[in-house]
Amino acid sequence: MRLPGSGYLGRILNMSRAMEHLKEIMEALGPNKVFEDMPHRISHRMAHSPEILLHEDRWNSFLPDLVVTPESTEDVVSIVKIANRYKIPLIPQGGRTGSLGSQGRKGAIAVSFHRMDKILDFDEKNQLITVEPGVRTGHLGEFLNKKGYVQVEYPAARSACIGGRVGADGYNRYQFVTGRSKESVARIEVVFPDGEVAVLGDQGRRTTKSAFGYNLKDLIFGSRGTLCFVTKITLKCYKLPPIETWGYRAFPSPEDMVRALIDVCQDPIAMFWTWRLTGTPYWILRKISKVFAGTEYPSDIGALLDYNVFGDSITVENTKKRLNEIFDKHNGFISDDLPSEEIVGRSAYTDRDIALCRFVSLTHDRFINGGRGGMWISIDPGIPNNNAVSYISKARQIQEELGQMYPSLSKCCEFFPGITVNVDPHCVFFSGLLVLDMPVFDKNIRDDFIKLYIDHAELVHSLGGSASYVHGFCPREKEIDIIKEEVGDVEYEIMKKIKKAIDPNNIMNPYVRFINEEDPVLQAILEGK
């Protein structure tokens, strides 16, 4: 939809509310926490999201007007109050490893939490640790491991920030034991749009569960910064069991591997001690092996399922015996062409972050032929168990027919679906990858990209699943339609009412999930200006 009048974009640039109130913002935070220079603004423009590729004016549309770097809850309160008073949009940013909601926007202030990176308290007696939102998950893990505790927040990207884990309600590598983010976090301190500070949690302000009041904490998890900003997080801790072991099984096909994973997740014994179970189909194994090792992956391996088992000696022995019975049922085997079981399992566990999250773009043919690497984006559906095998077969068909179905996109994109993760006994989480050549998107490529996304979402919905289990990315122009499809029309209207009640001036990440028709900057972005 187009706003009446002409030349309104020029007026927007000349009437930036953030710049109008720059002096007040600097006085409130201090000049060393406020940046208007172009290098800072450019460095806070992008996130790990392809959304920026889907707009012609990607330079101006995503360039924030200001960058602020709070160092305390008091700083966050100050900037939020000013923004609320003058209706200036705020975009929260941490590690920017997520795929939705943290890229900059014209007319907005990027609020970077990277300076709020302290571990504030380790309550070992009650097994709770309190941190600021800018603490990296990798650094938190190092701290806990040295103390003899397992890392509770454990995403694929170790540079992800704990605050972002709240915003996305991420999955965890050990989710079967520690739960996803909303379950592994005891309570959070948040700043609401009016500057009020609250502590929310299923445990309230206490160290035990309270039966009084609503569970307000879970409302914030997954809200992507649209309701409030998180300034402190208290996480639950778990002591490391005495023994950790690794293993793997190869399978003739990805379908066999998926059936085995489902059986493990539903087994009343194995599921409690197999903390992590990750499956990789052959189209990824062969690509990575060729690029990084210069060898061909064994042709008889259709998929590889690697795992961790924690416990004491008796528990580990019994769990592995149970796993072997399940793997044998689904044609699992130890390959003579691979190293020992523990070496393969440990390597897959320790090197997956590097191979997939950092260097998977190097597998694109353009890089092999002397070009540049690109970026990757997660395509991460959750599929009910009864349709999980069907999904991997149909996703493979999309991969094989990418050139015919999406001819323009296929020139600069490869699709790697089907990495399985044990996160839920009722469904399978498939963490697929789209590897993109970032700089070359034109209209035909953008149209193909959106078509691929919608076709994939329709496939997932036809199987009773969710198009995104964790990362939440959706092309902005289709986001509302996908939300309504997944949560329902009535439920979406309830979401809008909650947003309006908490954030009446629509300053909290207003470009995500809700359309404010009175916002000319947003309208310009939606029109592709």
Side-chain angles (χ1 to χ4, degrees), residues 323-378:
L323 288 173
N324 290 337
E325 293 172 355
I326 296 173
F327 295 154
D328 290 344
K329 175 184 172 184
H330 296 287
N331 306 311
F333 62 96
I334 299 292
S335 174
D336 293 335
D337 297 316
L338 296 179
S340 71
E341 182 179 3
E342 180 159 326
I343 288 176
V344 172
R346 183 193 289 261
S347 175
Y349 166 71
T350 56
D351 295 342
R352 176 175 283 106
D353 297 350
I354 298 175
L356 293 181
C357 297
R358 299 177 185 175
F359 299 130
V360 72
S361 62
L362 304 185
T363 66
H364 199 286
D365 288 340
R366 68 174 181 280
F367 183 84
I368 296 172
N369 296 328
R372 60 187 175 279
M375 69 178 295
W376 63 267
I377 180 66
S378 288

Side-chain angles (χ1 to χ4, degrees), residues 232-430:
K232 291 185 180 70
I233 305 104
T234 298
L235 304 102
K236 303 170 187 177
C237 300
Y238 302 88
K239 290 184 177 180
L240 276 167
I243 296 176
E244 176 182 14
T245 188
W246 301 264
Y248 86 91
R249 281 299 183 278
F251 294 86
S253 73
E255 288 83 356
D256 287 326
M257 178 265 292
V258 170
R259 293 186 185 99
L261 180 140
I262 291 172
D263 275 5
V264 173
C265 292
Q266 294 185 333
D267 186 86
I269 296 175
M271 66 175 291
F272 286 109
W273 301 105
T274 307
W275 285 36
R276 182 197 59 84
L277 194 69
T278 306
T280 309
Y282 66 83
W283 47 83
I284 296 177
L285 294 171
R286 293 175 187 175
K287 194 78 170 181
I288 291 177
S289 180
K290 184 176 181 180
V291 171
F292 293 107
T295 60
E296 297 292 333
Y297 212 77
S299 60
D300 62 333
I301 296 179
L304 205 65
L305 194 62
D306 58 274
Y307 63 87
N308 289 66
V309 174
F310 283 89
D312 57 22
S313 58
I314 296 176
T315 299
V316 169
E317 181 180 351
N318 289 338
T319 302
K320 294 194 73 170
K321 180 180 178 181
R322 192 82 168 193
L323 288 173
N324 290 337
E325 293 172 355
I326 296 173
F327 295 154
D328 290 344
K329 175 184 172 184
H330 296 287
N331 306 311
F333 62 96
I334 299 292
S335 174
D336 293 335
D337 297 316
L338 296 179
S340 71
E341 182 179 3
E342 180 159 326
I343 288 176
V344 172
R346 183 193 289 261
S347 175
Y349 166 71
T350 56
D351 295 342
R352 176 175 283 106
D353 297 350
I354 298 175
L356 293 181
C357 297
R358 299 177 185 175
F359 299 130
V360 72
S361 62
L362 304 185
T363 66
H364 199 286
D365 288 340
R366 68 174 181 280
F367 183 84
I368 296 172
N369 296 328
R372 60 187 175 279
M375 69 178 295
W376 63 267
I377 180 66
S378 288
I379 299 294
D380 60 334
I383 308 292
N385 288 340
N386 61 318
N387 288 325
V389 172
S390 179
Y391 169 77
I392 201 165
S393 299
K394 294 183 178 186
R396 176 172 54 192
Q397 183 178 354
I398 293 177
Q399 181 203 40
E400 292 173 349
E401 298 178 1
L402 197 70
Q404 293 107 345
M405 298 172 67
Y406 318 99
S408 296
L409 180 66
S410 65
K411 297 175 184 177
C412 61
C413 172
E414 289 189 274
F415 181 35
F416 298 99
I419 302 171
T420 62
V421 185
N422 63 319
V423 296
D424 192 311
H426 312 292
C427 72
V428 177
F429 169 36
F430 289 96

Side-chain angles (χ1 to χ4, degrees), residues 209-254:
K209 179 187 177 297
S210 171
F212 298 98
Y214 297 133
N215 183 2
L216 299 176
K217 183 203 75 173
D218 283 5
L219 176 64
I220 306 306
F221 276 76
S223 63
R224 308 278 173 172
T226 59
L227 299 177
C228 60
F229 289 166
V230 179
T231 50
K232 291 185 180 70
I233 305 104
T234 298
L235 304 102
K236 303 170 187 177
C237 300
Y238 302 88
K239 290 184 177 180
L240 276 167
I243 296 176
E244 176 182 14
T245 188
W246 301 264
Y248 86 91
R249 281 299 183 278
F251 294 86
S253 73

Side-chain angles (χ1 to χ4, degrees), residues 6 10 135 150 196 282 440 506 509 513:
S6 61
V135 170
V150 70
E196 290 289 338
Y282 66 83
V440 303
N506 197 33
N509 219 2
R513 292 186 174 164

Side-chain angles (χ1 to χ4, degrees), residues 4 55 117 173 221 235 257 473:
H55 299 263
D117 61 352
R173 179 171 287 184
F221 276 76
L235 304 102
M257 178 265 292
F473 169 74

Side-chain angles (χ1 to χ4, degrees), residues 71-84:
E71 297 179 1
S72 65
T73 299
E74 292 72 25
D75 284 346
V76 176
V77 170
S78 295
I79 188 60
V80 164
K81 283 185 174 180
I82 294 173
N84 199 44

